Amino acid sequence: MLQLQNSLVESLRTKPFSRITYKEITEGVDIDRSTVYRYYNHKNQVLQAAVDVRLTAFASRVDLTFGRKESIDGYMGRLVDAWIGLWLESGPLLAAASGLGAEPGPPREWWRERIGPWIEAVREAIEVGRFVEELPEDGRPAGPLAEMTVGLCLSTFNRELTVERDEEHRTMVRDLLLDAILRIMGRR
């Protein structure tokens, strides 16, 4: 099934997910068609499987926990840097998946489950940051702030990191994004 996922990733290098057909994905693999249909009967399933593989690997590399010796600035910088690395590895695939997340129904629920740990980690960091007085206790609920933070990251990554950019541009985007996140949280 990895062949199908890789075929999709290759197709995403040249065209958007909405224009890729299931037939195009399956043509590039050496697997009997009946076997293919046993595992995936729609291109969305191939996309979801490919994203799950990458996010599982990402989760094993990145600690989402806000550390005791970390400032909120350092924590959010570490997360943004990790997410940027993930997008540089798999940007078109993740952009397609987040596009699925905009559709109502099961695709949205699937995507929300995938980004749920990120939102929860940021929510906890906001609450801890408030407790240790790094962030203001301003009465705004941490959950919506965390959702806004992750949403801002995802939209920025989809817009800025799924196309070829030079290192200077990526650094500028990273710094502006981190500044915006910390402002949302009330830090700056």
Side-chain angles (χ1 to χ4, degrees), residues 34-175:
S34 64
T35 303
V36 169
Y37 286 114
R38 187 176 332 140
Y39 291 97
Y40 307 117
N41 57 18
H42 194 275
K43 71 178 185 175
N44 288 3
Q45 292 174 327
V46 178
L47 172 68
Q48 290 171 336
V51 168
D52 284 344
V53 166
R54 279 148 184 88
L55 291 183
T56 299
F58 176 74
S60 71
R61 295 189 317 254
V62 176
D63 181 9
L64 293 176
T65 309
F66 182 39
R68 289 181 178 203
K69 296 184 181 197
E70 239 175 342
S71 68
I72 195 72
D73 299 41
Y75 172 75
M76 288 311 304
R78 180 171 63 81
L79 283 189
V80 166
D81 290 342
W83 291 337
I84 287 172
L86 177 64
W87 244 259
L88 292 175
E89 289 172 6
S90 304
L93 186 69
L94 295 167
S98 65
L100 277 185
E103 298 176 15
R108 179 179 289 159
E109 293 307 313
W110 170 83
W111 183 241
R112 295 281 305 165
E113 286 175 15
R114 296 322 176 266
I115 64 169
W118 302 354
I119 293 169
E120 181 59 19
V122 172
R123 185 196 62 73
E124 286 178 10
I126 291 169
E127 289 179 354
V128 171
R130 287 175 173 170
F131 180 76
V132 298
E133 299 179 347
E134 270 196 71
L135 294 174
E137 183 58 64
D138 55 12
R140 297 180 298 164
L145 285 174
E147 286 192 37
M148 184 183 294
T149 297
V150 172
L152 176 62
C153 289
L154 293 174
S155 65
T156 301
F157 299 154
N158 285 340
R159 196 173 49 257
E160 297 294 333
L161 298 180
T162 55
V163 294
E164 197 63 36
R165 303 283 190 184
D166 62 25
E167 185 62 35
E168 184 178 335
H169 181 84
R170 282 194 302 269
T171 299
M172 178 195 65
V173 166
R174 183 249 186 224
D175 293 344

